Amino acid sequence: MAPNGRGAAGPRCIAIVGPFQSGKTSLLEAILERTGAIGRAGRVADGDTVGDASAEARAHGMSTEPNTATVEFLGEKMTFVDCPGSMEFMHEMRNITPVCDAAVVVCEADERKIPALQIILRELEEADIPRFLFINKIDSATRRVRETLALLQKASRTPLLLRQIPLWKDGIAVGFIDLALERAFIYREHAPSEIVDLPGDEAAREREARFSMLERLADYDDALMEDLISEIEPPRDRVFDDLARELRDRHVVPVLIGSAERGNGVTRLLKALRHEAPTLEETRVRLGVPEDGAPLAQVMKTMHLGQGGKLSLARVLRGAFHEGDTVVGSRGTEARIGSLLAMVGTGTSRISEAKPGDTLGFGRLEAIATGDAFAAGKSRPEAILSIAPPEPVYAVALKVKDRKDDVRLSSALAKITEEDPSLVVETRPDMGEIRLLGQGEMHLRVAVKRLASRFQVGVETGKPQVAYRETIRSNAAARGRHRKQTGGHGQFGDVMIEIGPLPRGEGFAFHDRITGGVVPRQYIPSVETGVRDAIKCGPLGFPVVDLAVTLTDGSYHTVDSSDAAFQAAAKLALAEALPKAKPVLLEPVLSAEIAIPTEALSKATGLVTARRGQILGYNARPGWEGWDVISATIPEAEIGDLIVELRSVTAGVGTFSTRFDHMAELSGRPAEQILQKTH
């Protein structure tokens, strides 16, 4: 039994999410201090927090991967997973939050961060995750809490339910009133708040705020509505039962206040989580996981720890696991549990058993990936989640600093893409390039640093090449004659070809109009082979497309003609014909859908037109209040760092998707610059 006489609910798993720099890591630190897991909370600014301990996170002063810590509070175990808030690392939360019992959304009264908050809340809404809102930095708030609530409500499709109101002194929040408990608390630095008598001048404000809270709860409780109409004070236990039920049914989002850096409001948050967050049983129902069956767990994150090997952060949804157990993943792969590790930041401690509800590290599950479920025994479990990674919006070309690392690069890239499925590796043999694609400049910068720090593979990055092509504007004809006598059998091939442009996107066509056997049938395929080889690099230096080639005449020698000779003759003929047919450079043009907050529409439009883009239209983003979508076409050469500037003008939240649309002629100064680089 827990100290208050309640039956223990079992280990909980809580995600901490929120916009960039809202204070998530500080909140985790305050929770660790309050629960006794650490002696004193560190500060992000000082670089001494339990979370964000990686070299990449410390270097950039931001979370770049999830941080996990398991604590005990009033006899119950809770694991908190602090997820990065930057849009560039948001995919990390998508595999984590569905397996959690609830999420704490850390935010602040900052209008500039409402679009980011909207994105995060939308993710949670779509995944059907129960959630609390924690308004952080209340000690430095400049607007009244009612104004703040109205501001934040714009980001949530579910009603926000204010649970606490601040106590003000000289314009500074010095404490709060808990509307469910009807008690007043004064904040203490890095310590639980002190209960005080409700100030007399606050009674009316408290009654009004409490009635608003009860009125919202009564929308889903007829008995409570009758009490309110009859002006009967409802029993406190029923109020708390309603708070818990309506959170779990996703009818409301409870709103708590505090200051993570000062440790204010943390105890009340922990108590709300303990009493009201769904249990493992309820989470299983939400995920569609039966109660009975073999021990089952879900992988939330994969990490490669150098000498420590592969570690899979997973939550046990059913049954128990032990070190050495054989497990089967939802893709049918088999593995053996090398170790079981409880985690607090980068610190780990070995444990003997993983029990239902536990969230911990499973060592050396080599064949099991992020997003997989795995079960003990020999039977393959059904997949629980199916989460597609986001489309990449930024790319760099990679080149190893030391040639001896060529082989190791492939292995290292496989590991970082396993850790982070939103990273994509693309090999382009036609350009001699390996590309790394991801969610933004910072995302790829961190990935490159990780290649060096964790896998000892140093790489240089560059701008990816653009797949330029060339074609012709007019018809031309040419003869190619290959003749060589070296003693014995010589080489002889003679062809006459005509070339002409094809409609854009048609590619290549080869025809022959040979009559009278002037080129024997067995050599005609050789002529086509020679032509196809020749168009790999045209007179401008790029592959030739949208070209029709017709073999019209030729001659042969009964002894000296051969396949190789006719291939050589075809190349000579094409090399002479192409420059006469007015060659022109082609560039790939992409179709783009750009999503931005409405207030950034004019700036985003300017970015597109400045990049030789063509605006096709504007629309409101379906289901997203305060957002617009720009439809446009943009040359691939101009798309490279578009996401960097787009995020700059949208407070970090703008994004886009692209697909190839067509090849377009490129002339004038832009074409001259490309050709100067080529020749």
Side-chain angles (χ1 to χ4, degrees), residues 30 85 190 272 291 307 353 392 403 446 467 558 651 671-672:
H190 297 286
E291 184 178 352
Q307 299 299 322
E353 183 181 37
R403 291 295 299 274
V446 167
T558 54
E672 290 173 11

Side-chain angles (χ1 to χ4, degrees), residues 319-584:
F321 292 90
H322 302 84
E323 190 174 307
D325 283 355
T326 296
V327 298
V328 178
S330 48
R331 303 184 204 192
T333 52
E334 192 172 291
R336 183 176 175 274
I337 299 173
S339 58
L340 297 170
L341 301 171
M343 304 173 70
V344 176
T346 56
T348 59
S349 57
R350 207 153 185 159
I351 60 173
S352 59
E353 183 181 37
K355 299 177 181 178
D358 281 345
T359 304
L360 66 162
F362 286 73
R364 302 191 181 280
L365 299 183
E366 301 299 344
I368 294 174
T370 301
D372 287 355
F374 63 87
K378 298 291 185 181
S379 298
R380 180 175 71 85
E382 292 295 320
I384 297 170
L385 304 174
S386 177
I387 298 171
E391 182 179 328
V393 294
Y394 190 73
V396 293
L398 300 181
K399 182 180 179 182
V400 290
K401 292 180 179 178
D402 191 329
R403 291 295 299 274
K404 74 177 190 305
D405 286 337
D406 264 333
V407 175
R408 295 173 59 206
L409 176 63
S410 297
S411 172
L413 288 172
K415 288 177 179 176
I416 67 166
T417 53
E418 184 182 19
E419 287 187 348
D420 182 355
S422 66
L423 290 169
V424 177
V425 175
E426 190 178 89
T427 303
R428 293 293 300 265
D430 56 326
M431 297 180 178
E433 244 180 26
I434 296 176
R435 297 178 180 177
L436 184 63
L437 300 87
Q439 298 305 302
E441 185 181 31
M442 182 68 72
H443 188 211
L444 296 192
R445 192 184 303 165
V446 167
V448 167
K449 287 189 176 180
R450 198 165 286 161
L451 284 172
S453 63
R454 292 193 189 174
F455 306 108
Q456 289 73 54
V457 178
V459 296
E460 295 174 345
T461 61
K463 191 175 180 181
Q465 298 177 60
V466 176
Y468 292 107
R469 297 291 183 263
E470 58 182 273
T471 191
I472 57 173
R473 288 175 170 164
S474 64
N475 299 323
R479 179 177 291 277
R481 175 174 287 186
H482 176 71
R483 185 171 189 170
K484 195 171 184 182
Q485 193 70 41
T486 56
H489 286 308
Q491 296 180 40
F492 181 85
D494 175 33
V495 297
M496 184 74 184
I497 63 168
E498 294 177 356
I499 63 172
L502 287 175
R504 192 73 66 240
E506 289 293 311
F508 172 76
F510 179 82
H511 308 283
D512 81 89
R513 293 207 308 265
I514 294 299
T515 58
V518 292
V519 176
R521 284 284 144 200
Q522 70 265 30
Y523 295 134
I524 291 176
S526 300
V527 175
E528 181 177 354
T529 299
V531 167
R532 286 184 178 274
D533 195 41
I535 64 173
K536 290 178 181 177
C537 185
L540 302 182
F542 298 96
V544 183
V545 296
D546 302 334
L547 175 73
V549 177
T550 303
L551 175 62
T552 61
D553 198 4
S555 62
Y556 73 101
H557 190 280
T558 54
V559 176
D560 292 342
S561 287
S562 65
D563 289 330
F566 274 99
Q567 287 182 33
K571 291 177 186 178
L572 291 170
L574 198 68
E576 183 180 337
L578 284 173
K580 297 190 292 187
K582 299 180 182 177
V584 61

